[in-house]
Amino acid sequence: GRTLWGLGRVAALEHPRSWAGLVDSCAGADPATTAAALCARSDEDEIAVRGKDRPRRLVPRLTAAGGDLPGCYRTLDPAGTVLVSGAFGGIGQRVVRWLRDAGVRSFLLVSRRGAAAPGCGELVDELTADGCEATVASADVTDATALRAAVRDVAARGGRLTGVVHAAGCSAPQNMVDVDAATYRSVWEPKVLGALALEEATEGCELQLFLCFSSVAATWGSQHLASYAAADAFLDAVGERRRAVGLAGVRSEERRVGK
């Protein structure tokens, strides 16, 4: 549902003359309230219907959030290992350095191209010079089997995985009415299937951090980024779901890192 919500926000921008709005009615929601939301004439074009005995119509609002990213990274065990997917991309390298400065001393750097990825050698040398341990794993982030093998290798070396940062992803301009399935999947799968594969591969690990890099595109949409916004909306939901069941889970916008 959240992926469709993210896609809907793009539709509102690309096709404003055809746009009517989004209504999210959960299981058990009051039918009359849902019908009223569907028929409402108002400036609100995103409505969530919740509750049956005391039905409510909720609308999204942005509020200012002071400070840096949530402070859970400060509780990371310095003896633990943090897995970073998309480790050698612009976001991945920046977050690795940010975690290093926060005290993390051991990294499992996951990249589809492994040691052949541009920037790999320089980042590993930099981490090693700073006294950190950096292991490079060649794996597609959507491949849970390969990820499980990389996680097992951490334990085989006497390490313990304590954090996951999902920074893998790409973006390709696409119009909703024109995009083909292959182009859509090329952007959607690394984020969505990657997050699910990382959860599967780390099941049973006592993680202190599970951070998915979303984007402001999931918050208010972005023209010509249909699958990107949809996938990022899914990542937002992953963080919320994990926290709801007592697991480590953080969602972040790319632009906030390092500020």
Side-chain angles (χ1 to χ4, degrees):
R2 287 293 289 273
T3 55
L4 290 176
W5 198 270
L7 194 62
R9 286 172 168 157
V10 177
L13 296 172
E14 291 191 18
H15 304 283
R17 293 184 179 180
S18 305
W19 179 247
L22 292 164
V23 175
D24 176 15
S25 181
C26 67
D30 177 57
T33 305
T34 300
L38 288 168
C39 299
R41 291 173 175 260
S42 73
D43 293 333
E44 301 295 345
D45 65 349
E46 296 183 22
I47 301 173
V49 179
R50 294 291 182 267
K52 187 172 184 179
D53 297 330
R54 300 180 62 185
R56 298 173 297 159
R57 285 189 289 174
L58 308 176
V59 295
R61 291 291 184 266
L62 290 174
T63 57
D68 202 347
L69 294 170
C72 60
Y73 71 89
R74 299 187 182 92
T75 66
L76 283 172
D77 183 350
T81 298
V82 176
L83 182 159
V84 180
S85 73
F88 306 113
I91 297 170
Q93 292 198 44
R94 192 167 182 181
V95 79
V96 165
R97 293 183 174 103
W98 173 65
L99 286 168
R100 174 202 60 194
D101 295 343
V104 175
R105 312 312 295 165
S106 178
F107 294 90
L108 174 59
L109 307 176
V110 177
S111 170
R112 185 170 49 188
R113 286 178 285 183
C120 173
E122 295 84 346
L123 182 60
V124 170
D125 289 346
E126 180 183 330
L127 292 172
T128 303
D130 287 337
C132 298
E133 179 182 354
T135 301
V136 178
S138 177
D140 190 315
V141 73
T142 66
D143 186 347
T145 300
L147 293 175
R148 277 196 301 271
V151 171
R152 284 196 299 268
D153 286 344
V154 173
R157 296 192 303 272
R160 182 169 60 91
L161 193 71
T162 54
V164 170
V165 176
H166 183 26
C170 62
S171 177
Q174 49 192 243
N175 296 315
M176 289 188 64
V177 296
D178 299 325
V179 63
D180 59 85
T183 302
Y184 191 96
R185 288 196 303 267
S186 69
V187 175
W188 189 85
E189 289 183 350
K191 286 178 173 284
V192 173
L193 300 186
L196 295 176
L198 285 166
E199 284 198 299
E200 181 181 339
T202 59
E203 186 176 2
C205 297
E206 295 182 4
L207 298 178
Q208 300 166 333
L209 175 70
F210 194 102
L211 169 62
C212 291
F213 271 81
S214 177
S215 166
V216 74
T219 303
W220 53 56
S222 185
Q223 285 181 293
H224 315 309
L225 289 176
S227 57
Y228 184 78
D232 284 329
F234 179 88
L235 294 184
D236 287 351
V238 168
E240 293 169 8
R241 173 180 55 77
R242 288 183 64 88
R243 290 197 304 275
V245 297
L247 298 174
V250 181
R251 60 188 177 90
S252 172
E253 295 173 1
E254 299 159 1
R255 62 188 176 83
R256 291 178 60 88
V257 176
K259 283 193 174 182

